[in-house]
Amino acid sequence: MKEQAMIPVAILGASGYTGVELVRWLIHHPQVRLAALGASTHAGKSLSDIFPALTGLALPMLQKTEEIDWQHIQLVFCCLPHHTSQTIIATLPEHLQIIDLSADFRLKDKAVYEKWYGAHDAAHLLESAVYGLTEYARPALKGARLIANPGCYPTCSLLALLPIIQDIDVSQIMIDAKSGVSGAGRTLRESSLAAEVQEGVQAYSIGGHRHQPEIEQELSFIAKKPLTITFTPHLMPFNRGMLATIYVKTDLNAEAVQKKLHARYHAEPFVHVLPLGTAASTRFVKGSNHCHISLHQGCRPGQVILCSVIDNVGKGASTQAIQNMNVQQGWLETLGLQGLGVFP
Amino acid sequence: MKEQAMIPVAILGASGYTGVELVRWLIHHPQVRLAALGASTHAGKSLSDIFPALTGLALPMLQKTEEIDWQHIQLVFCCLPHHTSQTIIATLPEHLQIIDLSADFRLKDKAVYEKWYGAHDAAHLLESAVYGLTEYARPALKGARLIANPGCYPTCSLLALLPIIQDIDVSQIMIDAKSGVSGAGRTLRESSLAAEVQEGVQAYSIGGHRHQPEIEQELSFIAKKPLTITFTPHLMPFNRGMLATIYVKTDLNAEAVQKKLHARYHAEPFVHVLPLGTAASTRFVKGSNHCHISLHQGCRPGQVILCSVIDNVGKGASTQAIQNMNVQQGWLETLGLQGLGVFP
Amino acid sequence: MKEQAMIPVAILGASGYTGVELVRWLIHHPQVRLAALGASTHAGKSLSDIFPALTGLALPMLQKTEEIDWQHIQLVFCCLPHHTSQTIIATLPEHLQIIDLSADFRLKDKAVYEKWYGAHDAAHLLESAVYGLTEYARPALKGARLIANPGCYPTCSLLALLPIIQDIDVSQIMIDAKSGVSGAGRTLRESSLAAEVQEGVQAYSIGGHRHQPEIEQELSFIAKKPLTITFTPHLMPFNRGMLATIYVKTDLNAEAVQKKLHARYHAEPFVHVLPLGTAASTRFVKGSNHCHISLHQGCRPGQVILCSVIDNVGKGASTQAIQNMNVQQGWLETLGLQGLGVFP
Amino acid sequence: MKEQAMIPVAILGASGYTGVELVRWLIHHPQVRLAALGASTHAGKSLSDIFPALTGLALPMLQKTEEIDWQHIQLVFCCLPHHTSQTIIATLPEHLQIIDLSADFRLKDKAVYEKWYGAHDAAHLLESAVYGLTEYARPALKGARLIANPGCYPTCSLLALLPIIQDIDVSQIMIDAKSGVSGAGRTLRESSLAAEVQEGVQAYSIGGHRHQPEIEQELSFIAKKPLTITFTPHLMPFNRGMLATIYVKTDLNAEAVQKKLHARYHAEPFVHVLPLGTAASTRFVKGSNHCHISLHQGCRPGQVILCSVIDNVGKGASTQAIQNMNVQQGWLETLGLQGLGVFP
């Protein structure tokens, strides 16, 4: 069914959750051929041994990154941990286009990066990397060599805030965010064990989560001044889904904010502004590249509350990476991304 | 992107879980146009008001069944409760092709139906209705007017058992089945409340579930003799997914059973026999039309254990209905059904 | 094991979640004898038919409220819906002591009550009713005839806020709260179905939840001025547990707030201030009468974040009602309430 | 509140799930004083740092096993992994009474142990160790030095089967069991991660789980002949609770089996036979030492189905250990174990 024009693609870190999600979508993408799947400890296995959801597909075997023959690859999705990512990307041949799902090229200021993540060994690439919040980056994405795919919390928060950043008091933005546990990845930690995640809730990284400077960077670009937000993430007892409950101070009422957002997004295929009276729920975007935003009048004068939901593995990671690829390559932006939220 | 040849389709009972699942897939099906959505209490609303996952789609408004103009419909998916289904189907114009997701036309013997479900008022249609376990019904499905879409438990169980029915002691089949709560539908019952479903497990309808005669009917057709199975369903604290753990007595060992199943299914697009040593998990078929079957040697001589998993809303209901439609219409069987299991 | 001095107690609305939770604790309370259990639709049944957790106990049969012989009852826990509660309480004999778990007697101002809940038909009792946030109401609780047991969100929020109300900007309090689904009760609603609650999250009653005026009332009593808070509740996909993430503006840093709270609560048996660096989790108070509060420095100058957790059915409802009874009767406050959080 | 006669108790492996559960109950046990808590990696910490549910209690600090002063300990609960357990128990001073929650002393036949668990280095203790299924071991438990606390699956299965072992075909016992994930312990494994446990189900160790020989051993003791059962465990997406769905062949009908079980258990404080028509649910025993058993007529002649539920961390581990201690010490068997199932 696929055409000749398909480009050969590699995924590094394919055996993690964002990797398997990329494969789930790309396997049926009409312009892409999965040519190499990189992994470290799992090299030599079939990806379907780890994730039987992929059973029956003709996939390349997992191989070590250093054994990939880059001559036959055109595009790389990099799903490696931060720092590992920059080290490998710095050594990749020039002809490769790269979409990096790590945090390594999201922050423009090396000092800010190093404060939150430690030393940066490929800082010379920071300037040219395109921050890939697709709806706001199309011109730069087109033909880009290196795309920094945004973090999940920033994606969820920025899509709600950017259209109204001129209308709100930027010194008073508060984001109380909730994420499914897949966001913690496949790393073994006691805090990720089912018995410690199910059946309860708690906040984490309070007052100091790494996605905060990323949100602040993008907001301040548009607001044209530095700003500090309040950002508190919470770990949810489900796999997929993210909700940002955002409190802003503004002269607009909820209806006016809704109109602004609707004006900005009504032609967007993946961002939907819900009618007043409906609260956005993660349940309706699970498994998709869609973002829903709902608007609500707060109790205080001048307070509006925005609820923004995405799938943290989807629009918050892998499907936004595919959306970015589509723009980068000049293809139809929705190509291969038609799936709707899986409900119930 | 869709072609001229698209056929106009109606869904009755669109505001239930199988209805919204049908819409999720059909909206991107290249040969289908959703022309009418029937509902009772919700008539007059938009389906996306109830299920915001459908936000942004151009869907017909929900309308009462009796108000649908059948002249412009070619195919009907009927997602109504049993008995309601037969009543309406009996009155539908002759030109309509019907895929019924209720139990009304699955049991061939009116007496058996009436024992388990009460009076049947459209029994004259029983004989011509095609039992739509797709992989076993293709010739009859082609061009059929009325297709009885199988129950979720029968689908899950039969796909594992049918290829080996000649090799096992049919008097000793035991099925211990587990289903996600979406199988209970959207009806309001205390036993479906989140606080009574989450965080625990229990069996139900022990020794007398309505899907038992359906499984027995299909097995006995192939075995060519009447048989009684043991069947015990359990309610699981998750939304989607079904596992049938099946215990059989056979002269074959697990490896031989695996080979038999593999021989039967290796060319099937939606049924996959897992390698020995892997246990089928519902997690890997969630949100898809796929079925995974794993084989295991039991502890007793001559005992083999089969684990069969499907998504109860997918292959157990709506996506199998679409697969049946594809065969009925003579289209490519996988058309519009390419999605893989959503993991994690 | 129980002594002669046990008092006869009735529970109205025993077949709801707060009712069964009361029974779970009171059955082993050394000073209480369960003498009558009121229910409406379930009258005539045994409570263990509905909740087999109570199997094996010698409990009175469920009976209609109007059939209870009040002469042999000394104390009543009223677990009825609001409005129903006031109607019945207004007619109860004078000798009865009443602990009401509904909202009917929490708001002192009839007009405020009627704005949020509709007409009040027993407003003459409002003044004498004691708002039973135990840790702040002991003198008034002792011997009280009518105790208004606080709402779950107010309990969770007030325990964190009251000790520092003089130290914070009361015009800037923001509470982003998360509650387990048991808080929605056993009423049949689509929004309480397992398939619509599990595996996702959403906010509800945004900008207008009935517990907001209750929190404001109590805060303003101490702050000695009217105030408006921001309060947004979220529905969580688990049964029990509540988290209030509270954002305040203050000249104190987190450490100083921690000291203040510790000074207030170090002698309290049920309220615990966690060490700095630990985030309160609902998992550790589930099934108990305990409240945990953690303190965190925010990102903005003068911002402190408080995480307060309780079991919404426990300290948020039934066990606080028992704690109130203990104080009312002059018993040891911890009597019958020794259970710790059930983890994992 | 506790009396002078309290005995000093140590818990080894206190920082696991069975350890914290022991502390939860023992802290309020009227005859016990927690004198030492052993741990390895966490030595030096407070147990409440790991499990804040224990905040506010006066507990000894975690210390390395080899640093415990055994002179001041009378009784040890051993919550260590198998093999580690036997190594340490073999070296403990003679005056200590030991309740071992590992598998090390459950199997009487060294060869059987070594087939399933590897070498046994303290096999000389096997003969004297008392298998502590309390309801069947009271005479031997009284004053015992070493008690082997049963496994969770054996406890759940044996309580249902033992009273009818003479009435059933022992060559045809089938147990399809389901356990909450806490049974996998706190060990870091990908298969225990929340994202791989939540929202799905699968069987594991099919045809070869270590609890199978333990069940067979105890059944064959009573049946007075060797036997092989079918036993298939499943991993459930919740924390606590275990269900054994047991299929037996018998000349008795469900009602007769119910009567037999009722006759055996009606005076037992912790084992309850449910009325016919009710299916046992794990939800109603969660957090308690109770076992519920329900009986159901199967579809085949001579088939009865038993549903047996316990809390795998409670009656399946820690609370049964306490029950055993109560009998061992000659105390009231229910001492400190009064809590009921936590529902919802």
Side-chain angles (χ1 to χ4, degrees):
Chain A
M1 207 180 312
K2 293 190 179 188
E3 299 161 33
Q4 296 286 0
M6 292 188 294
I7 66 168
V9 163
I11 301 174
L12 302 185
S15 63
Y17 296 147
T18 52
V20 64
E21 180 74 353
L22 277 172
V23 174
R24 178 168 85 89
W25 292 91
L26 291 178
I27 195 73
H28 295 123
H29 192 288
Q31 296 291 339
V32 160
R33 178 171 56 82
L34 286 172
L37 299 174
S40 50
T41 50
H42 292 297
K45 291 188 196 167
S46 160
L47 192 55
S48 66
D49 292 345
I50 307 169
F51 302 119
L54 307 175
T55 297
L57 304 179
L59 292 173
M61 298 297 280
L62 293 172
Q63 63 186 130
K64 289 198 176 296
T65 301
E66 54 269 32
E67 292 167 3
I68 295 175
D69 178 359
W70 294 114
Q71 292 317 108
H72 299 100
I73 305 295
Q74 184 172 333
L75 178 68
V76 186
F77 289 95
C78 193
C79 302
L80 298 166
H82 67 88
H83 203 265
T84 306
S85 199
Q86 67 196 227
T87 310
I88 287 177
I89 287 174
T91 68
L92 289 178
E94 267 305 307
H95 76 276
L96 289 170
Q97 287 182 300
I98 303 157
I99 299 176
D100 181 30
L101 283 81
S102 87
D104 277 358
F105 301 97
R106 295 175 192 158
L107 295 169
K108 289 296 170 193
D109 184 332
K110 187 189 179 204
V112 174
Y113 180 89
E114 297 196 330
K115 176 183 165 193
W116 291 90
Y117 293 95
H120 202 306
D121 298 332
H124 60 289
L125 297 172
L126 285 177
E127 198 185 332
S128 65
V130 177
Y131 186 80
L133 186 66
T134 328
E135 285 74 10
Y136 291 86
R138 287 178 184 121
L141 287 168
K142 202 152 192 173
R145 177 166 187 259
L146 173 57
I147 296 172
N149 212 55
C152 46
Y153 287 119
T155 297
C156 193
S157 303
L158 292 169
L159 287 173
L161 283 168
L162 286 178
I164 54 166
I165 195 72
Q166 312 293 358
D167 304 295
I168 63 176
D169 180 345
V170 294
S171 72
Q172 305 245 0
I173 299 168
M174 303 192 61
I175 305 173
D176 188 285
K178 296 92 179 165
S179 172
V181 69
S182 58
R186 239 189 157 212
T187 308
L188 296 177
R189 289 190 203 92
E190 279 158 354
S191 60
S192 296
L193 290 175
E196 320 231 348
V197 170
Q198 295 177 134
E199 307 175 15
V201 65
Q202 70 185 101
Y204 66 99
S205 300
I206 309 168
H209 189 279
R210 286 163 163 175
H211 283 179
Q212 177 167 344
E214 186 180 334
I215 301 173
E216 289 170 351
Q217 166 184 285
E218 297 302 308
L219 290 178
S220 67
F221 282 163
I222 309 290
K224 297 191 173 53
K225 55 178 165 179
L227 52 82
T228 301
I229 63 167
T230 297
F231 174 67
T232 310
H234 295 74
L235 180 66
M236 290 286 114
F238 52 76
N239 287 348
R240 282 171 179 253
M242 171 170 284
L243 163 62
T245 311
I246 306 174
Y247 302 83
V248 298
K249 205 173 165 201
T250 170
D251 290 338
L252 304 178
N253 64 12
E255 195 179 345
V257 172
Q258 206 250 11
K259 276 183 188 156
K260 277 231 158 186
L261 282 161
H262 187 261
R264 170 62 186 85
Y265 291 127
H266 77 277
E268 287 289 348
F270 296 117
V271 185
H272 307 282
V273 183
L274 300 184
L276 287 174
T278 299
S281 165
T282 63
R283 291 169 189 85
F284 296 116
V285 294
K286 191 163 53 172
S288 82
N289 190 48
H290 290 270
C291 172
H292 287 183
I293 304 171
S294 66
L295 291 310
H296 311 269
Q297 196 65 47
C299 309
R300 290 219 194 93
Q303 183 181 53
V304 170
I305 300 169
L306 302 93
C307 293
S308 177
V309 295
I310 59 170
D311 183 324
N312 56 301
V313 193
K315 179 69 176 169
S318 299
T319 56
Q320 178 156 258
I322 296 172
Q323 189 183 358
N324 282 331
M325 173 188 70
N326 288 342
V327 178
Q328 179 191 40
Q329 303 297 325
W331 300 330
L332 186 67
E333 189 168 323
T334 56
L335 211 61
L337 287 173
Q338 286 182 328
L340 295 169
V342 180
F343 177 87
Chain B
M1 210 180 313
K2 293 189 178 188
E3 301 161 31
Q4 296 288 358
M6 293 190 294
I7 68 168
V9 164
I11 300 173
L12 302 184
S15 63
Y17 296 147
T18 52
V20 64
E21 180 74 353
L22 277 171
V23 173
R24 178 167 84 89
W25 292 90
L26 292 177
I27 195 73
H28 295 123
H29 192 289
Q31 297 290 339
V32 160
R33 180 170 55 83
L34 286 173
L37 299 174
S40 49
T41 50
H42 292 297
K45 291 188 198 168
S46 160
L47 193 55
S48 65
D49 292 346
I50 307 169
F51 302 119
L54 307 175
T55 297
L57 305 178
L59 292 172
M61 297 298 279
L62 293 171
Q63 62 186 131
K64 291 201 177 292
T65 301
E66 54 269 31
E67 291 167 4
I68 294 175
D69 178 0
W70 295 114
Q71 291 317 108
H72 300 100
I73 306 294
Q74 184 172 333
L75 177 68
V76 185
F77 290 95
C78 193
C79 302
L80 298 166
H82 67 88
H83 204 266
T84 306
S85 199
Q86 67 195 228
T87 309
I88 287 177
I89 287 173
T91 67
L92 289 177
E94 266 306 305
H95 76 277
L96 289 171
Q97 286 182 300
I98 303 156
I99 299 177
D100 181 28
L101 284 80
S102 88
D104 277 359
F105 301 98
R106 295 175 191 159
L107 295 169
K108 290 296 172 191
D109 185 331
K110 187 189 178 205
V112 174
Y113 179 90
E114 297 195 329
K115 177 183 165 195
W116 291 90
Y117 294 93
H120 202 307
D121 298 331
H124 60 288
L125 295 173
L126 284 177
E127 198 184 332
S128 64
V130 178
Y131 186 80
L133 186 67
T134 327
E135 284 75 10
Y136 292 85
R138 286 177 184 122
L141 287 168
K142 203 152 192 172
R145 178 169 186 259
L146 175 56
I147 296 172
N149 212 55
C152 46
Y153 287 120
T155 297
C156 193
S157 304
L158 293 168
L159 287 174
L161 284 167
L162 287 177
I164 54 166
I165 196 74
Q166 312 293 356
D167 304 295
I168 63 175
D169 180 346
V170 295
S171 72
Q172 304 244 1
I173 299 167
M174 301 191 63
I175 304 173
D176 189 284
K178 296 91 181 164
S179 173
V181 69
S182 58
R186 239 190 156 212
T187 309
L188 296 178
R189 289 190 203 93
E190 279 158 357
S191 61
S192 295
L193 290 176
E196 319 233 347
V197 170
Q198 294 177 136
E199 307 177 13
V201 65
Q202 71 186 100
Y204 66 99
S205 300
I206 308 169
H209 188 280
R210 286 163 164 176
H211 283 180
Q212 176 166 347
E214 186 181 334
I215 301 173
E216 289 170 351
Q217 166 184 287
E218 296 302 308
L219 290 177
S220 67
F221 283 163
I222 309 289
K224 298 190 172 56
K225 55 179 166 180
L227 53 82
T228 302
I229 62 165
T230 298
F231 175 67
T232 310
H234 295 73
L235 180 65
M236 291 286 115
F238 52 77
N239 287 350
R240 282 170 177 252
M242 170 169 285
L243 163 64
T245 311
I246 307 175
Y247 303 83
V248 299
K249 205 174 166 201
T250 172
D251 291 337
L252 304 179
N253 62 15
E255 194 179 346
V257 173
Q258 206 250 13
K259 277 183 186 154
K260 275 231 158 186
L261 283 161
H262 187 260
R264 170 63 185 84
Y265 291 127
H266 77 278
E268 287 289 350
F270 296 118
V271 185
H272 306 283
V273 183
L274 299 185
L276 288 173
T278 299
S281 165
T282 62
R283 290 169 189 87
F284 295 116
V285 295
K286 191 164 50 173
S288 82
N289 190 47
H290 290 270
C291 172
H292 287 183
I293 304 172
S294 65
L295 291 310
H296 312 268
Q297 197 65 44
C299 309
R300 293 219 192 91
Q303 184 182 55
V304 169
I305 301 169
L306 303 93
C307 292
S308 177
V309 295
I310 59 169
D311 183 324
N312 57 300
V313 194
K315 180 68 175 169
S318 301
T319 56
Q320 179 156 255
I322 295 171
Q323 188 183 0
N324 282 331
M325 173 188 70
N326 288 342
V327 178
Q328 180 190 42
Q329 303 298 324
W331 301 328
L332 185 68
E333 189 169 324
T334 56
L335 212 60
L337 287 173
Q338 286 182 327
L340 295 170
V342 179
F343 177 87
Chain C
M1 209 180 310
K2 294 192 177 187
E3 299 161 33
Q4 296 288 358
M6 294 189 293
I7 67 168
V9 164
I11 301 174
L12 302 184
S15 63
Y17 296 148
T18 52
V20 63
E21 180 74 351
L22 276 171
V23 173
R24 178 168 84 89
W25 292 91
L26 291 177
I27 195 72
H28 294 124
H29 192 289
Q31 297 290 339
V32 160
R33 180 170 55 83
L34 286 172
L37 299 174
S40 49
T41 50
H42 292 296
K45 292 189 197 167
S46 161
L47 192 55
S48 65
D49 292 345
I50 307 169
F51 302 120
L54 306 176
T55 297
L57 305 179
L59 292 173
M61 298 298 280
L62 292 172
Q63 62 186 132
K64 290 200 177 293
T65 301
E66 54 270 31
E67 291 166 4
I68 294 174
D69 179 358
W70 295 113
Q71 292 318 108
H72 299 100
I73 305 294
Q74 186 172 331
L75 177 68
V76 186
F77 289 96
C78 194
C79 302
L80 299 166
H82 68 88
H83 203 263
T84 307
S85 198
Q86 69 196 227
T87 310
I88 287 177
I89 286 173
T91 68
L92 289 177
E94 266 306 307
H95 76 276
L96 289 170
Q97 287 182 300
I98 303 156
I99 299 176
D100 181 29
L101 283 80
S102 87
D104 277 358
F105 301 98
R106 295 175 190 158
L107 295 170
K108 289 298 171 191
D109 185 332
K110 189 189 175 202
V112 174
Y113 179 91
E114 298 195 329
K115 176 184 167 195
W116 291 89
Y117 294 94
H120 202 307
D121 298 331
H124 60 288
L125 295 173
L126 284 177
E127 196 185 333
S128 65
V130 177
Y131 186 79
L133 185 66
T134 328
E135 286 73 9
Y136 291 85
R138 286 177 184 122
L141 288 168
K142 202 153 193 172
R145 179 169 184 258
L146 174 56
I147 296 172
N149 214 54
C152 46
Y153 287 119
T155 297
C156 193
S157 304
L158 292 168
L159 288 173
L161 283 168
L162 286 178
I164 55 165
I165 195 73
Q166 312 293 355
D167 304 295
I168 63 176
D169 180 345
V170 295
S171 73
Q172 305 244 1
I173 299 168
M174 303 192 60
I175 304 174
D176 188 284
K178 295 93 179 165
S179 172
V181 69
S182 59
R186 239 190 155 212
T187 307
L188 296 178
R189 288 189 203 95
E190 279 158 356
S191 60
S192 296
L193 290 175
E196 319 232 347
V197 170
Q198 296 177 134
E199 307 175 12
V201 65
Q202 71 187 102
Y204 66 99
S205 300
I206 308 169
H209 188 281
R210 287 163 165 175
H211 283 180
Q212 176 167 346
E214 186 180 334
I215 300 172
E216 289 170 349
Q217 168 184 286
E218 296 302 308
L219 290 177
S220 67
F221 281 164
I222 308 290
K224 296 191 173 54
K225 53 178 165 180
L227 51 83
T228 301
I229 62 167
T230 297
F231 174 68
T232 310
H234 295 74
L235 181 65
M236 291 284 114
F238 52 76
N239 288 348
R240 282 172 178 250
M242 170 169 286
L243 162 63
T245 311
I246 307 174
Y247 303 83
V248 298
K249 205 172 165 204
T250 170
D251 292 337
L252 303 179
N253 64 13
E255 193 179 347
V257 172
Q258 205 249 15
K259 276 183 187 155
K260 275 231 159 186
L261 282 161
H262 187 262
R264 172 60 186 87
Y265 291 126
H266 77 278
E268 286 290 348
F270 296 117
V271 185
H272 307 283
V273 183
L274 299 184
L276 287 174
T278 299
S281 164
T282 62
R283 292 168 187 85
F284 296 116
V285 296
K286 190 164 52 174
S288 82
N289 190 47
H290 291 269
C291 172
H292 288 183
I293 304 171
S294 66
L295 292 310
H296 311 269
Q297 197 65 45
C299 309
R300 292 220 193 92
Q303 184 182 54
V304 169
I305 300 169
L306 302 93
C307 293
S308 177
V309 295
I310 59 170
D311 183 325
N312 57 301
V313 194
K315 180 68 176 169
S318 299
T319 56
Q320 179 156 256
I322 296 172
Q323 188 183 358
N324 282 331
M325 172 188 71
N326 287 342
V327 177
Q328 179 190 41
Q329 303 297 324
W331 300 332
L332 185 67
E333 191 169 323
T334 56
L335 212 61
L337 287 174
Q338 285 182 328
L340 295 170
V342 179
F343 178 88
Chain D
M1 209 182 310
K2 293 189 176 189
E3 300 160 32
Q4 295 287 357
M6 293 189 295
I7 68 168
V9 164
I11 300 174
L12 302 184
S15 62
Y17 295 148
T18 53
V20 63
E21 179 75 352
L22 277 171
V23 172
R24 178 169 83 90
W25 293 90
L26 291 177
I27 195 73
H28 294 124
H29 192 289
Q31 297 290 339
V32 159
R33 179 170 55 83
L34 285 172
L37 298 174
S40 49
T41 49
H42 292 297
K45 290 188 197 167
S46 161
L47 192 55
S48 66
D49 291 346
I50 307 168
F51 302 120
L54 306 176
T55 298
L57 305 178
L59 291 173
M61 298 297 280
L62 293 172
Q63 62 186 132
K64 291 199 174 294
T65 302
E66 54 269 30
E67 291 166 3
I68 295 175
D69 179 359
W70 294 113
Q71 292 318 107
H72 299 101
I73 305 294
Q74 186 172 331
L75 178 68
V76 185
F77 289 95
C78 193
C79 301
L80 298 166
H82 68 87
H83 204 264
T84 306
S85 199
Q86 68 195 230
T87 309
I88 286 176
I89 287 173
T91 67
L92 289 177
E94 265 306 306
H95 76 276
L96 289 170
Q97 287 183 300
I98 303 156
I99 300 177
D100 182 29
L101 283 80
S102 88
D104 277 359
F105 301 98
R106 295 175 191 159
L107 295 170
K108 288 300 170 189
D109 185 332
K110 189 190 177 202
V112 175
Y113 179 90
E114 297 195 330
K115 177 184 166 196
W116 291 89
Y117 294 94
H120 202 305
D121 298 331
H124 60 288
L125 295 173
L126 285 177
E127 197 186 330
S128 65
V130 177
Y131 185 80
L133 186 66
T134 327
E135 285 75 8
Y136 291 85
R138 285 177 184 122
L141 287 168
K142 201 152 194 174
R145 179 169 184 259
L146 174 56
I147 296 171
N149 213 55
C152 46
Y153 287 119
T155 296
C156 193
S157 304
L158 292 168
L159 287 173
L161 284 168
L162 286 177
I164 55 166
I165 195 73
Q166 312 293 355
D167 303 295
I168 63 175
D169 180 345
V170 294
S171 72
Q172 304 244 1
I173 299 167
M174 301 192 62
I175 304 173
D176 189 284
K178 295 94 180 165
S179 173
V181 69
S182 58
R186 242 191 154 213
T187 308
L188 296 178
R189 290 190 202 92
E190 278 158 356
S191 60
S192 295
L193 290 175
E196 319 231 348
V197 170
Q198 293 178 135
E199 307 176 14
V201 65
Q202 71 186 102
Y204 66 98
S205 300
I206 308 169
H209 188 279
R210 285 162 165 176
H211 283 179
Q212 177 168 345
E214 185 181 333
I215 301 173
E216 289 171 349
Q217 167 184 287
E218 296 302 307
L219 290 177
S220 67
F221 282 163
I222 308 289
K224 297 191 173 55
K225 55 178 166 181
L227 53 82
T228 301
I229 62 166
T230 297
F231 175 67
T232 310
H234 295 73
L235 180 65
M236 290 286 114
F238 52 76
N239 287 349
R240 283 172 176 250
M242 170 170 284
L243 163 63
T245 312
I246 306 174
Y247 302 84
V248 299
K249 206 173 165 203
T250 171
D251 291 338
L252 304 178
N253 63 14
E255 193 179 348
V257 172
Q258 205 249 13
K259 276 184 187 154
K260 275 231 159 186
L261 283 161
H262 187 261
R264 170 61 186 85
Y265 292 127
H266 77 277
E268 287 290 348
F270 296 116
V271 186
H272 307 282
V273 184
L274 299 185
L276 288 173
T278 299
S281 165
T282 63
R283 291 169 188 85
F284 296 116
V285 296
K286 190 164 52 173
S288 82
N289 190 48
H290 290 270
C291 172
H292 287 182
I293 304 172
S294 66
L295 291 311
H296 313 269
Q297 198 65 46
C299 309
R300 292 219 193 91
Q303 183 181 55
V304 169
I305 300 168
L306 302 93
C307 293
S308 177
V309 295
I310 59 170
D311 183 324
N312 57 301
V313 193
K315 180 67 176 170
S318 299
T319 56
Q320 179 156 255
I322 296 171
Q323 189 183 358
N324 282 331
M325 173 188 70
N326 288 342
V327 178
Q328 179 190 42
Q329 303 297 326
W331 300 330
L332 185 67
E333 191 169 323
T334 56
L335 212 61
L337 287 172
Q338 286 181 328
L340 295 170
V342 179
F343 178 87

